[in-house]
Amino acid sequence: MTTPPPIEHHERTADRRTNPGGPVDRVVDWDAEEEAVEGTRPAQPNARRWWIFGSAAVAVMVVMAVIWGLSATVGRVHWTYTGHDLVAEDQVDVRLDLQRDPDRAVTCRIEARDERNAVVGRADVEIGPTQSSPSRHVLSVRAAAPALTGYIDACWYSDEPPRR
């Protein structure tokens, strides 16, 4: 039988689990090795404080974003454009669904536009209180030149100034 070549030092300390059947001078306790390495790591006493501060800051920002989002949308008039009809060359009917406080009147600014997308007609139309919300409406706008399309520019409560 021939003799094996000399064994390097790092192979002598191989673990039986990672080098089955290989040469082993001693079995390494990896748990003890890991604990020894972790014990030499510098302690960070302020790390917990920064995690608490960071978590609190994120929570405050989330609450502020929710409050800001709700304040920007609650109690406002919301509309959905559902189409238009060219009634005549100088008149466009615009269809919309309004979601709003049904006890308050709403004013909507509608516009008629030509093929160059220039405004050829504009009207502020007041819609009185309704029984329920959302409600569907058809509003007409007259055009000074031949119109191609119509749309809703803005809607607001009649007792408030228009929002921009």
Side-chain angles (χ1 to χ4, degrees):
M1 182 161 220
T2 62
T3 60
I7 299 171
E8 298 290 326
H9 177 69
H10 66 276
E11 290 178 349
R12 289 185 183 151
T13 59
D15 186 358
R16 288 186 196 275
R17 292 174 291 178
T18 60
N19 191 9
V24 176
D25 284 278
R26 67 180 175 98
V27 175
V28 177
D29 183 6
W30 290 113
D31 292 331
E33 292 288 327
E34 194 172 310
E35 288 174 10
V37 169
E38 287 175 356
T40 61
R41 197 175 293 164
Q44 297 178 355
N46 293 331
R48 175 178 273 164
R49 185 179 314 149
W50 282 110
W51 274 102
I52 291 170
F53 174 75
S55 299
V58 168
V60 167
M61 287 186 278
V62 167
V63 168
M64 288 176 58
V66 168
I67 290 171
W68 179 76
L70 289 175
S71 69
T73 59
V74 171
R76 304 279 169 92
V77 179
H78 299 280
W79 69 90
T80 303
Y81 171 80
T82 58
H84 67 275
D85 294 316
L86 296 173
V87 177
E89 195 173 82
D90 65 340
Q91 181 180 348
V92 179
D93 286 351
V94 178
R95 293 184 309 275
L96 70 144
D97 292 338
L98 277 178
Q99 186 174 4
R100 42 98 177 236
D101 179 4
D103 296 331
R104 296 173 71 184
V106 171
T107 300
C108 289
R109 178 170 292 141
I110 56 174
E111 294 182 347
R113 296 197 172 224
D114 64 6
E115 69 269 355
R116 294 184 319 266
N117 204 24
V119 176
V120 293
R122 178 179 290 141
D124 288 347
V125 180
E126 185 168 325
I127 303 165
T130 59
Q131 296 293 326
S132 64
S133 177
S135 56
R136 178 157 290 172
H137 304 276
V138 177
L139 308 176
S140 293
V141 60
R142 296 294 238 174
L148 184 63
T149 186
Y151 78 100
I152 302 119
D153 183 46
C155 290
W156 62 90
Y157 287 114
S158 298
D159 56 354
E160 296 177 357
R163 297 183 190 262
R164 274 284 146 186

